[in-house]
Amino acid sequence: MTKVPPRGSVGTGLNVRVVLQRVTAAAVRVDGDVVGRVFATALDNVSATFGDLDRSALDGAVASVTAARGILVVGGGVMQGPALFLASSLQLLGRRTTLATTVPDTGPALGALSAGDAVIGLSVWRYLGSTTRALELAASADMATIAITDSSLCPAALIADHVLVARTSTVGPRLGLAGITTLAEAVIAGVALADPERAILATRRADTLYAASGVLEQSDPDALPPRQSEPGTAG
């Protein structure tokens, strides 16, 4: 499996292109199926993340988020996508959650929290200092801190009360995010199950607001996504 280069080994845009050429060539040498290799690597990342999962850390993270009156999710750079998914999902469950993806966002968001609230930092290789600083400030204010990361030895992990580590191997120039996203899903599921009545009521309110706004193509909030037709069938 192709591994992420050691920290600091990829500096310029030229080097990133060189890395892409090398890992693509490696994938082709395996079986000539780059797309298959991408999917296989993503599956391996999820399986390895589950196999290495620290259940006590996950339970602690869920308990901290459930007990918090306010939650801040911090994720910049490539972590913006998983951070948005996590923050919006917690909002859907009725949790007062704010998302910060830039340094100017983080200060006011932290200032609105107090002791006992929770800050979740998503931080992967190259490790943005702004995410680390947010966790440091939260810890100094007696807030619960959670790191979702790719290494238990990264700066954010060394600060956080609860550390969830994902495998992020890749067949490209960026880290594989399947494991990171699955950890976010695990936190979301745990929070929902911790107070299912609250989650159901909040989700129903959100569905009602979506339907009333007229922004949805599918007006029935209980309808399932349309199924793709099987090959050789009409529709």
Side-chain angles (χ1 to χ4, degrees), residues 114-135:
S114 57
D117 289 335
V119 176
I120 307 171
L122 289 84
S123 183
V124 294
W125 179 69
R126 286 188 164 181
Y127 311 114
L128 292 179
S130 56
T131 303
T132 306
R133 299 291 90 74
L135 290 173

PDB file of all heavy atoms in Angstrom, residues 114-135:
ATOM      1  N   SER A 114     -17.576  28.190  26.924  1.00  0.00           N
ATOM      2  CA  SER A 114     -17.133  28.288  28.310  1.00  0.00           C
ATOM      3  C   SER A 114     -16.726  26.910  28.809  1.00  0.00           C
ATOM      4  O   SER A 114     -16.822  25.906  28.086  1.00  0.00           O
ATOM      5  CB  SER A 114     -18.253  28.877  29.180  1.00  0.00           C
ATOM      6  OG  SER A 114     -19.422  28.098  29.076  1.00  0.00           O
ATOM      7  N   ALA A 115     -16.283  26.852  30.042  1.00  0.00           N
ATOM      8  CA  ALA A 115     -15.835  25.587  30.630  1.00  0.00           C
ATOM      9  C   ALA A 115     -16.933  24.531  30.511  1.00  0.00           C
ATOM     10  O   ALA A 115     -18.110  24.807  30.731  1.00  0.00           O
ATOM     11  CB  ALA A 115     -15.462  25.788  32.094  1.00  0.00           C
ATOM     12  N   GLY A 116     -16.529  23.324  30.140  1.00  0.00           N
ATOM     13  CA  GLY A 116     -17.473  22.235  29.968  1.00  0.00           C
ATOM     14  C   GLY A 116     -17.969  22.064  28.544  1.00  0.00           C
ATOM     15  O   GLY A 116     -18.572  21.033  28.222  1.00  0.00           O
ATOM     16  N   ASP A 117     -17.734  23.072  27.702  1.00  0.00           N
ATOM     17  CA  ASP A 117     -18.082  22.932  26.295  1.00  0.00           C
ATOM     18  C   ASP A 117     -17.019  22.086  25.596  1.00  0.00           C
ATOM     19  O   ASP A 117     -16.033  21.671  26.216  1.00  0.00           O
ATOM     20  CB  ASP A 117     -18.219  24.305  25.639  1.00  0.00           C
ATOM     21  CG  ASP A 117     -19.474  25.036  26.108  1.00  0.00           C
ATOM     22  OD1 ASP A 117     -20.432  24.361  26.521  1.00  0.00           O
ATOM     23  OD2 ASP A 117     -19.489  26.281  26.061  1.00  0.00           O
ATOM     24  N   ALA A 118     -17.215  21.811  24.310  1.00  0.00           N
ATOM     25  CA  ALA A 118     -16.321  20.880  23.610  1.00  0.00           C
ATOM     26  C   ALA A 118     -15.786  21.498  22.327  1.00  0.00           C
ATOM     27  O   ALA A 118     -16.518  22.165  21.592  1.00  0.00           O
ATOM     28  CB  ALA A 118     -17.051  19.584  23.283  1.00  0.00           C
ATOM     29  N   VAL A 119     -14.512  21.251  22.065  1.00  0.00           N
ATOM     30  CA  VAL A 119     -13.863  21.688  20.826  1.00  0.00           C
ATOM     31  C   VAL A 119     -13.278  20.460  20.142  1.00  0.00           C
ATOM     32  O   VAL A 119     -12.517  19.698  20.754  1.00  0.00           O
ATOM     33  CB  VAL A 119     -12.762  22.727  21.092  1.00  0.00           C
ATOM     34  CG1 VAL A 119     -12.042  23.089  19.793  1.00  0.00           C
ATOM     35  CG2 VAL A 119     -13.351  23.978  21.725  1.00  0.00           C
ATOM     36  N   ILE A 120     -13.654  20.271  18.882  1.00  0.00           N
ATOM     37  CA  ILE A 120     -13.173  19.139  18.088  1.00  0.00           C
ATOM     38  C   ILE A 120     -12.262  19.686  17.004  1.00  0.00           C
ATOM     39  O   ILE A 120     -12.688  20.503  16.179  1.00  0.00           O
ATOM     40  CB  ILE A 120     -14.343  18.371  17.444  1.00  0.00           C
ATOM     41  CG1 ILE A 120     -15.376  17.963  18.497  1.00  0.00           C
ATOM     42  CG2 ILE A 120     -13.819  17.144  16.695  1.00  0.00           C
ATOM     43  CD1 ILE A 120     -16.654  17.383  17.909  1.00  0.00           C
ATOM     44  N   GLY A 121     -11.011  19.245  16.988  1.00  0.00           N
ATOM     45  CA  GLY A 121     -10.062  19.677  15.969  1.00  0.00           C
ATOM     46  C   GLY A 121      -9.734  18.544  15.020  1.00  0.00           C
ATOM     47  O   GLY A 121      -9.360  17.449  15.462  1.00  0.00           O
ATOM     48  N   LEU A 122      -9.899  18.780  13.720  1.00  0.00           N
ATOM     49  CA  LEU A 122      -9.529  17.802  12.699  1.00  0.00           C
ATOM     50  C   LEU A 122      -8.190  18.229  12.116  1.00  0.00           C
ATOM     51  O   LEU A 122      -8.063  19.322  11.547  1.00  0.00           O
ATOM     52  CB  LEU A 122     -10.594  17.716  11.600  1.00  0.00           C
ATOM     53  CG  LEU A 122     -11.916  17.043  12.014  1.00  0.00           C
ATOM     54  CD1 LEU A 122     -12.833  18.048  12.699  1.00  0.00           C
ATOM     55  CD2 LEU A 122     -12.621  16.447  10.809  1.00  0.00           C
ATOM     56  N   SER A 123      -7.193  17.369  12.260  1.00  0.00           N
ATOM     57  CA  SER A 123      -5.833  17.759  11.905  1.00  0.00           C
ATOM     58  C   SER A 123      -5.086  16.576  11.318  1.00  0.00           C
ATOM     59  O   SER A 123      -4.968  15.531  11.962  1.00  0.00           O
ATOM     60  CB  SER A 123      -5.095  18.273  13.150  1.00  0.00           C
ATOM     61  OG  SER A 123      -3.799  18.715  12.851  1.00  0.00           O
ATOM     62  N   VAL A 124      -4.592  16.721  10.085  1.00  0.00           N
ATOM     63  CA  VAL A 124      -3.831  15.662   9.435  1.00  0.00           C
ATOM     64  C   VAL A 124      -2.497  16.214   8.943  1.00  0.00           C
ATOM     65  O   VAL A 124      -2.227  17.406   9.018  1.00  0.00           O
ATOM     66  CB  VAL A 124      -4.625  15.028   8.270  1.00  0.00           C
ATOM     67  CG1 VAL A 124      -5.846  14.297   8.789  1.00  0.00           C
ATOM     68  CG2 VAL A 124      -5.021  16.070   7.234  1.00  0.00           C
ATOM     69  N   TRP A 125      -1.694  15.308   8.425  1.00  0.00           N
ATOM     70  CA  TRP A 125      -0.308  15.573   8.046  1.00  0.00           C
ATOM     71  C   TRP A 125      -0.100  16.944   7.416  1.00  0.00           C
ATOM     72  O   TRP A 125      -0.861  17.356   6.548  1.00  0.00           O
ATOM     73  CB  TRP A 125       0.177  14.479   7.100  1.00  0.00           C
ATOM     74  CG  TRP A 125       1.572  14.660   6.628  1.00  0.00           C
ATOM     75  CD1 TRP A 125       2.707  14.560   7.359  1.00  0.00           C
ATOM     76  CD2 TRP A 125       1.977  14.963   5.295  1.00  0.00           C
ATOM     77  NE1 TRP A 125       3.808  14.783   6.565  1.00  0.00           N
ATOM     78  CE2 TRP A 125       3.380  15.029   5.296  1.00  0.00           C
ATOM     79  CE3 TRP A 125       1.280  15.193   4.109  1.00  0.00           C
ATOM     80  CZ2 TRP A 125       4.115  15.307   4.151  1.00  0.00           C
ATOM     81  CZ3 TRP A 125       2.008  15.472   2.965  1.00  0.00           C
ATOM     82  CH2 TRP A 125       3.415  15.528   2.995  1.00  0.00           C
ATOM     83  N   ARG A 126       0.949  17.580   7.886  1.00  0.00           N
ATOM     84  CA  ARG A 126       1.307  18.981   7.706  1.00  0.00           C
ATOM     85  C   ARG A 126       0.706  19.845   8.797  1.00  0.00           C
ATOM     86  O   ARG A 126       1.194  20.931   9.045  1.00  0.00           O
ATOM     87  CB  ARG A 126       0.965  19.508   6.314  1.00  0.00           C
ATOM     88  CG  ARG A 126       1.923  18.986   5.244  1.00  0.00           C
ATOM     89  CD  ARG A 126       1.674  19.672   3.918  1.00  0.00           C
ATOM     90  NE  ARG A 126       2.779  19.463   3.015  1.00  0.00           N
ATOM     91  CZ  ARG A 126       2.834  19.975   1.799  1.00  0.00           C
ATOM     92  NH1 ARG A 126       1.853  20.733   1.360  1.00  0.00           N
ATOM     93  NH2 ARG A 126       3.868  19.743   1.027  1.00  0.00           N
ATOM     94  N   TYR A 127      -0.370  19.377   9.462  1.00  0.00           N
ATOM     95  CA  TYR A 127      -0.849  19.872  10.737  1.00  0.00           C
ATOM     96  C   TYR A 127      -0.874  21.404  10.859  1.00  0.00           C
ATOM     97  O   TYR A 127       0.111  22.032  11.224  1.00  0.00           O
ATOM     98  CB  TYR A 127      -0.026  19.262  11.876  1.00  0.00           C
ATOM     99  CG  TYR A 127       0.112  17.769  11.749  1.00  0.00           C
ATOM    100  CD1 TYR A 127       1.348  17.168  11.512  1.00  0.00           C
ATOM    101  CD2 TYR A 127      -1.007  16.950  11.819  1.00  0.00           C
ATOM    102  CE1 TYR A 127       1.459  15.796  11.373  1.00  0.00           C
ATOM    103  CE2 TYR A 127      -0.915  15.574  11.679  1.00  0.00           C
ATOM    104  CZ  TYR A 127       0.320  15.006  11.451  1.00  0.00           C
ATOM    105  OH  TYR A 127       0.425  13.648  11.312  1.00  0.00           O
ATOM    106  N   LEU A 128      -2.019  21.979  10.549  1.00  0.00           N
ATOM    107  CA  LEU A 128      -2.177  23.428  10.642  1.00  0.00           C
ATOM    108  C   LEU A 128      -2.041  23.890  12.090  1.00  0.00           C
ATOM    109  O   LEU A 128      -2.704  23.377  12.990  1.00  0.00           O
ATOM    110  CB  LEU A 128      -3.543  23.842  10.103  1.00  0.00           C
ATOM    111  CG  LEU A 128      -3.776  23.664   8.602  1.00  0.00           C
ATOM    112  CD1 LEU A 128      -5.193  24.093   8.244  1.00  0.00           C
ATOM    113  CD2 LEU A 128      -2.755  24.452   7.797  1.00  0.00           C
ATOM    114  N   GLY A 129      -1.190  24.877  12.287  1.00  0.00           N
ATOM    115  CA  GLY A 129      -0.972  25.408  13.633  1.00  0.00           C
ATOM    116  C   GLY A 129      -2.218  26.029  14.227  1.00  0.00           C
ATOM    117  O   GLY A 129      -2.406  26.017  15.450  1.00  0.00           O
ATOM    118  N   SER A 130      -3.110  26.576  13.386  1.00  0.00           N
ATOM    119  CA  SER A 130      -4.316  27.218  13.895  1.00  0.00           C
ATOM    120  C   SER A 130      -5.230  26.218  14.597  1.00  0.00           C
ATOM    121  O   SER A 130      -5.875  26.552  15.599  1.00  0.00           O
ATOM    122  CB  SER A 130      -5.071  27.905  12.748  1.00  0.00           C
ATOM    123  OG  SER A 130      -5.356  26.979  11.709  1.00  0.00           O
ATOM    124  N   THR A 131      -5.284  24.985  14.095  1.00  0.00           N
ATOM    125  CA  THR A 131      -6.097  23.959  14.747  1.00  0.00           C
ATOM    126  C   THR A 131      -5.495  23.585  16.098  1.00  0.00           C
ATOM    127  O   THR A 131      -6.205  23.446  17.100  1.00  0.00           O
ATOM    128  CB  THR A 131      -6.210  22.712  13.862  1.00  0.00           C
ATOM    129  OG1 THR A 131      -6.762  23.083  12.596  1.00  0.00           O
ATOM    130  CG2 THR A 131      -7.089  21.659  14.498  1.00  0.00           C
ATOM    131  N   THR A 132      -4.172  23.447  16.136  1.00  0.00           N
ATOM    132  CA  THR A 132      -3.494  23.137  17.389  1.00  0.00           C
ATOM    133  C   THR A 132      -3.710  24.239  18.418  1.00  0.00           C
ATOM    134  O   THR A 132      -3.999  23.972  19.588  1.00  0.00           O
ATOM    135  CB  THR A 132      -1.987  22.942  17.151  1.00  0.00           C
ATOM    136  OG1 THR A 132      -1.791  21.962  16.120  1.00  0.00           O
ATOM    137  CG2 THR A 132      -1.297  22.481  18.421  1.00  0.00           C
ATOM    138  N   ARG A 133      -3.595  25.508  17.974  1.00  0.00           N
ATOM    139  CA  ARG A 133      -3.775  26.632  18.904  1.00  0.00           C
ATOM    140  C   ARG A 133      -5.192  26.659  19.458  1.00  0.00           C
ATOM    141  O   ARG A 133      -5.404  26.967  20.636  1.00  0.00           O
ATOM    142  CB  ARG A 133      -3.503  27.966  18.190  1.00  0.00           C
ATOM    143  CG  ARG A 133      -2.120  28.155  17.621  1.00  0.00           C
ATOM    144  CD  ARG A 133      -1.030  28.298  18.670  1.00  0.00           C
ATOM    145  NE  ARG A 133      -0.478  26.994  19.019  1.00  0.00           N
ATOM    146  CZ  ARG A 133       0.349  26.291  18.238  1.00  0.00           C
ATOM    147  NH1 ARG A 133       0.707  26.749  17.052  1.00  0.00           N
ATOM    148  NH2 ARG A 133       0.821  25.133  18.638  1.00  0.00           N
ATOM    149  N   ALA A 134      -6.181  26.345  18.616  1.00  0.00           N
ATOM    150  CA  ALA A 134      -7.566  26.335  19.091  1.00  0.00           C
ATOM    151  C   ALA A 134      -7.754  25.317  20.202  1.00  0.00           C
ATOM    152  O   ALA A 134      -8.416  25.590  21.219  1.00  0.00           O
ATOM    153  CB  ALA A 134      -8.508  26.043  17.926  1.00  0.00           C
ATOM    154  N   LEU A 135      -7.160  24.126  20.044  1.00  0.00           N
ATOM    155  CA  LEU A 135      -7.267  23.104  21.087  1.00  0.00           C
ATOM    156  C   LEU A 135      -6.521  23.530  22.353  1.00  0.00           C
ATOM    157  O   LEU A 135      -6.987  23.277  23.476  1.00  0.00           O
ATOM    158  CB  LEU A 135      -6.723  21.778  20.567  1.00  0.00           C
ATOM    159  CG  LEU A 135      -7.566  21.094  19.490  1.00  0.00           C
ATOM    160  CD1 LEU A 135      -6.831  19.873  18.934  1.00  0.00           C
ATOM    161  CD2 LEU A 135      -8.923  20.685  20.038  1.00  0.00           C
TER     162      LEU A 135
END
